[in-house]
Amino acid sequence: MSALLESYAAGRWFRAADDGEPLLDAATGEEVARISSRGLDVAAMVRHAKDTGGPALRSLTFHERAGLLKALAKHLLERKEELYALSVRTGATARDTAVDVDGGIGTLFSYGSKGVRELPNDTVVLDGGLERLGKGGTFAGQHLYTSRPGVAVQINAFNFPVWGMLEKLGPAFLAGLPTIVKPASQTAYLTELAVRYIIESGILPEGTLQLLAGSARGLLDELTIQDSVAFTGSAHTAGILRRHPNVLDGGVALNVEADSLNCSILGPDVRPDDPEFDLFVKGVVTEMTVKAGQKCTAIRRVLVPTGLAGQVVDALADRLGKVGVGDPRNDAVRMGPLASLGQREEVRKAVEALLAGSEVAFGDPKGAALLDGDPERGAFMTPLVLRARPGAVEPHDVEPFGPVSTVIGYDGLDDAVALAARGRGSLVASLATHDPGVARSVVLGLAPWHGRVLVLDRDDAKESTGHGSPLPVLVHGGPGRAGGGEELGGVRGVLHHMQRTAVQASPDQLTAITGRWTTGAARTESQVHPFRKSLAELRIGDTIASAPRTVSLADIDHFSEFTGDTFYAHTDPEAAARNPLFGGIVAHGYLVVSLAAGLFVDPAPGPVLANFGVDSLRFLTPVKAGDSIAVTLTVKQITPRSNADYGEVRWDAVVTNQDGAPVATYDVLTLVAKTWDAS
């Protein structure tokens, strides 16, 4: 008897007292492991996450959390070969495993990078700008995101035992939420191995990741209002979760990614000798064969102009006929088995239902010609192309979670969009076209029904990541039948786990709460120029208020000649006088900004190392010859950079004229040394 998988719960590895249920090799039918969670204290897991993991994680800034994710990605990359070796027992080819293992590790790298580049080195995220709530400027509002004191439970499908865990872990970890992972039993042995590597590394704080191997009975009973569940799987199971009392009435947030009848559309402008035709066929074949079609994003419906349906079927058959099916241990095999014999039976039942309105155009629903493997012990199945009869309803209702696609003819773009919408909400759709008009019409028609739309043509094909690949920087999820949930999407996936709150207070209080200087808050002026202060010495609110400088006509003329910006408002008095906004010659906006820099910059070598940008620049009042300008520069935000001798300082800049009216407002971004020896 093979080894019993263990859960990692409340700081230790737990082994059930019984023998568990067998988990079989998808290709050979041999027992790989056994699984059971009998006797597991799920309440203790939830308490451990909230009492130990949550506080440890929330004490770290976003940058510190991001650094741990990056370190974890590097660690798993070093153990990739062991994960690959075990992944083959799930039925995965090397190509399939790359999607799962490398894709999961890549998602951690992406969130490690996003966390540093797009989130503050703080524990609070500001959402939007300041809202003035009073005329005097003493009362204002600011939206912000904070971490919830809960736990993120993930319940995953069998098809991606590594990626499914890591793509949910990354955003939740950045958001400050500890995670409990419940993998699907069929392939849980691969998830368990990955979790062992993570726990053994000691990279993540204790309590921030736990594993439940086996039944999750009772887990949702322990969750409360600050907790969330991210589920990937069947619509049937999602319905059970939605009806749980703690989801219905207890405030537990449920995010669902369920069944999805994704489609790919061949544009009406495409002819068989166009590059888009071949790209379309290749895309369908790829989605049918990667992971043996066991992907929530795989193409189930192939929508083509009715007149080209036969040629599309022939092209698909030609390519699929060259796909070797068998044991993925054989390097010549391009498509492995389904995850289990039970899964194959489910797909065969779905095919039988589809055949009520379709006919087999390629493949054998009952058998498989194998390069290698036992067709009785292994869950092998040939790729199947079905061709729908006119008016068939089954392709829009039945999802065969395997290597099966149905070709459906359409008549006109409106018909194509209507057929796509009959899937009642999908994760992804793709369109092969080189006609911009077709692209706009179809994408706008598809968008309300889909979470993601890929437009494929000869121009983007070389760089395209394909129809079925969710990317960490783009949202993954879909409306309606697809579950109505949303994951990933870069920082969106992090904020999804956090609580947004509107805070109303005085500018000084908002500055203290947010860690960012707020307009109207106190400023601190001293004899020491802020540019002479290191990052360690600077404080929020440190300010320099410059002396005024008169802008002359000679300044404007010189700037025009020197830069080549001879726009009439700066050079032609008569034309400028007719401009209803200016009524005469005005200074260039960038001249004003340049002169302002001259007013606040301290020129000597010091801790300010570089200016790396300007944000939110707005020109508010024209500056005419003879006007004077002054600038007030205030430290708005200080962000130390990890693993660097410097950090970022954001300065609030306000340029005013002789009447005190604002001329320009913007944020100046600088890099400042953490320490500086003036000697």
Side-chain angles (χ1 to χ4, degrees):
M1 187 170 63
S2 56
L4 186 67
L5 297 183
E6 294 182 327
S7 296
Y8 186 71
R12 65 184 183 91
W13 287 99
F14 169 86
R15 182 189 295 266
D18 62 345
D19 293 336
E21 297 296 323
L23 305 176
L24 306 182
D25 186 299
T28 67
E30 298 172 349
E31 191 172 297
V32 179
R34 302 181 77 84
I35 190 168
S36 173
S37 61
R38 182 174 296 178
L40 180 63
D41 189 344
V42 293
M45 295 180 73
V46 173
R47 288 195 302 271
H48 188 63
K50 293 184 178 182
D51 296 343
T52 302
L57 194 49
R58 292 192 297 274
S59 70
L60 304 176
T61 68
F62 292 109
H63 287 198
E64 290 169 331
R65 298 170 201 168
L68 295 179
L69 288 180
K70 186 176 181 180
L72 179 59
K74 290 179 178 178
H75 176 73
L76 290 176
L77 201 59
E78 294 172 355
R79 309 307 297 266
K80 190 172 75 169
E81 288 187 13
E82 294 96 321
L83 294 171
Y84 264 66
L86 187 58
S87 177
V88 73
R89 309 207 70 174
T90 71
T93 64
R95 177 178 66 165
D96 298 337
T97 300
V99 176
D100 185 29
V101 173
D102 297 69
I105 295 172
T107 299
L108 290 183
F109 273 122
S110 179
Y111 272 95
S113 176
K114 285 274 184 183
V116 171
R117 293 201 324 266
E118 299 181 26
L119 292 172
N121 196 8
D122 199 345
T123 58
V124 175
V125 182
L126 304 190
D127 178 41
L130 185 73
E131 299 289 346
R132 288 190 58 166
L133 303 177
K135 293 182 179 180
T138 62
F139 187 49
Q142 175 69 60
H143 291 89
L144 54 81
Y145 284 97
T146 55
S147 297
R148 293 186 171 112
V151 59
V153 172
Q154 49 171 273
I155 303 174
N156 295 327
F158 65 83
N159 52 343
F160 290 105
V162 176
W163 177 84
M165 171 180 65
L166 299 182
E167 65 94 5
K168 293 183 177 70
L169 173 64
F173 188 88
L174 262 186
L177 277 176
T179 291
I180 296 175
V181 179
K182 196 287 176 196
S185 292
Q186 286 164 277
T187 55
Y189 48 87
L190 185 54
T191 308
E192 192 229 40
L193 181 61
V195 172
R196 282 191 180 276
Y197 290 154
I198 294 172
I199 298 302
E200 289 170 2
S201 74
I203 292 171
L204 303 188
E206 173 55 44
T208 58
L209 176 63
Q210 298 179 83
L211 172 70
L212 195 166
S215 170
R217 183 176 290 109
L219 178 58
L220 264 67
D221 298 339
E222 303 299 327
L223 303 184
T224 61
I225 193 169
Q226 292 290 343
D227 304 324
S228 62
V229 177
F231 170 76
T232 300
S234 70
H236 173 74
T237 304
I240 294 173
L241 295 175
R242 284 189 169 109
R243 291 188 292 274
H244 191 281
N246 284 352
V247 174
L248 282 175
D249 304 313
V252 174
L254 176 64
N255 190 82
V256 171
E257 180 206 315
D259 303 347
S260 183
L261 290 166
N262 311 296
C263 69
S264 188
I265 302 174
L266 182 66
D269 58 299
V270 179
R271 298 294 174 261
D273 57 350
D274 288 338
E276 287 72 26
F277 187 90
D278 192 43
L279 293 170
F280 176 80
V281 171
K282 285 181 179 178
V284 173
V285 170
T286 296
E287 295 307 316
M288 291 181 66
T289 57
V290 171
K291 298 289 286 188
Q294 300 168 113
K295 295 171 58 182
C296 57
T297 54
I299 296 169
R300 310 300 180 196
R301 299 178 296 156
V302 183
L303 308 183
V304 302
T306 299
L308 288 179
Q311 289 169 282
V312 170
V313 167
D314 291 344
L316 289 172
D318 180 61
R319 284 192 173 273
L320 288 169
K322 301 171 185 176
V323 174
V325 180
D327 191 325
R329 295 168 181 82
N330 185 331
D331 291 338
V333 167
R334 285 187 57 201
M335 191 181 93
L338 300 180
S340 67
L341 293 173
Q343 180 60 26
R344 183 177 69 180
E345 186 59 28
E346 289 295 319
V347 176
R348 285 177 172 173
K349 288 179 181 178
V351 170
E352 186 176 347
L354 287 169
L355 289 176
S358 304
E359 59 188 25
V360 177
F362 175 84
D364 181 356
K366 295 297 184 181
L370 303 180
L371 287 179
D372 190 8
D374 184 335
E376 299 302 320
R377 292 177 60 83
F380 300 105
M381 184 174 183
T382 185
L384 288 175
V385 177
L386 308 182
R387 185 167 178 179
R389 290 188 283 273
V393 298
E394 293 81 6
H396 310 296
D397 293 329
V398 178
E399 182 186 18
F401 204 71
V404 184
S405 292
T406 302
V407 176
I408 305 168
Y410 72 79
D411 299 304
L413 288 182
D414 289 344
D415 188 34
V417 170
L419 287 169
R422 288 183 64 180
R424 304 193 308 280
S426 301
L427 296 172
V428 58
S430 55
L431 167 68
T433 181
H434 197 51
D435 185 323
V438 169
R440 176 177 170 83
S441 178
V442 173
V443 168
L444 296 185
L446 294 177
W449 301 93
H450 295 81
R452 178 168 59 88
V453 179
L454 164 69
V455 180
L456 185 65
D457 70 359
R458 66 198 72 176
D459 295 333
D460 66 4
K462 287 185 179 180
E463 294 187 335
S464 173
T465 50
H467 169 104
S469 299
L471 300 175
V473 296
L474 300 180
V475 293
H476 176 54
R481 179 183 180 129
E486 186 176 289
E487 300 175 332
L488 300 176
V491 171
R492 297 174 188 84
V494 178
L495 300 181
H496 176 79
H497 286 286
M498 303 182 75
Q499 178 62 46
R500 180 166 55 188
T501 303
V503 179
Q504 299 165 276
S506 69
D508 284 330
Q509 296 284 30
L510 285 175
T511 296
I513 293 165
T514 64
R516 181 167 174 158
W517 185 82
T518 301
T519 300
R523 292 183 168 99
T524 303
E525 294 187 60
S526 69
Q527 297 298 316
V528 179
H529 193 292
F531 276 31
R532 309 308 304 166
K533 295 181 180 181
S534 68
L535 204 70
E537 297 168 319
L538 279 172
R539 297 291 181 268
I540 300 296
D542 281 355
T543 298
I544 175 176
S546 79
R549 186 211 198 274
T550 300
V551 180
S552 67
L553 184 59
D555 292 329
I556 300 172
D557 290 342
H558 175 71
F559 195 82
S560 297
E561 180 180 357
F562 182 73
T563 63
D565 181 357
T566 56
F567 184 64
Y568 76 89
H570 313 306
T571 57
D572 186 335
E574 293 183 2
R578 294 192 295 271
N579 186 307
L581 298 178
F582 302 142
I585 293 290
V586 294
H588 309 68
Y590 296 110
L591 170 59
V592 172
V593 173
S594 298
L595 294 176
L599 292 173
F600 67 67
V601 165
D602 185 288
V608 176
L609 306 176
N611 177 338
F612 71 97
V614 170
D615 279 353
S616 307
L617 174 61
R618 294 293 183 271
F619 299 117
L620 304 175
T621 305
V623 174
K624 297 185 177 182
D627 285 352
S628 63
I629 60 171
V631 60
T632 301
L633 191 73
T634 303
V635 175
K636 190 172 188 177
Q637 188 174 29
I638 301 172
T639 305
R641 283 193 180 181
S642 302
N643 303 317
D645 295 330
Y646 55 85
E648 302 172 14
V649 178
R650 178 181 291 267
W651 307 76
D652 179 85
V654 179
V655 183
T656 54
N657 63 16
Q658 66 278 2
D659 299 321
V663 167
T665 59
Y666 50 99
D667 286 358
V668 178
L669 310 179
T670 62
L671 299 178
V672 178
K674 291 180 177 178
T675 59
W676 183 261
D677 185 358
S679 61

